[in-house]
Amino acid sequence: MGRLRQFFRLSMLRDDLETRLLAREYRALLLDDHFEDGTDRELQSRCAELCTEISSRHYRHRY
């Protein structure tokens, strides 16, 4: 059951990141604002953490 829980947790994190990245892309496209509010760095960091966790294949409890 732990692996299934891990799968759903990683899927949820991936979906959240995908949504946030799409929102950022739309904002940049439609509003043409290129100010730095820290979102880019936060998203890059979260993507890197998620990639590391997925590639490590280690089960990690978050709760």
Side-chain angles (χ1 to χ4, degrees):
M1 193 63 143
R3 287 186 186 200
L4 187 58
R5 186 176 295 127
Q6 177 74 352
F7 170 79
F8 286 124
R9 188 179 74 75
L10 290 174
S11 294
M12 181 191 66
L13 290 172
R14 184 204 59 218
D15 292 344
D16 179 58
L17 283 172
E18 183 178 25
T19 301
R20 292 173 65 193
L21 286 167
L22 283 172
R24 189 216 167 278
E25 296 250 344
Y26 286 137
R27 187 179 82 184
L29 178 67
L30 297 176
L31 300 177
D32 197 31
D33 61 349
H34 297 286
F35 67 95
E36 178 57 40
D37 62 355
T39 304
D40 289 345
R41 280 183 264 135
E42 179 190 354
L43 289 173
Q44 287 174 342
S45 174
R46 297 282 306 196
C47 286
E49 289 173 7
L50 187 57
C51 289
T52 301
E53 186 174 346
I54 290 171
S55 64
S56 71
R57 295 183 181 179
H58 289 276
Y59 178 71
R60 189 177 84 180
H61 288 284
R62 293 201 49 133
Y63 306 101

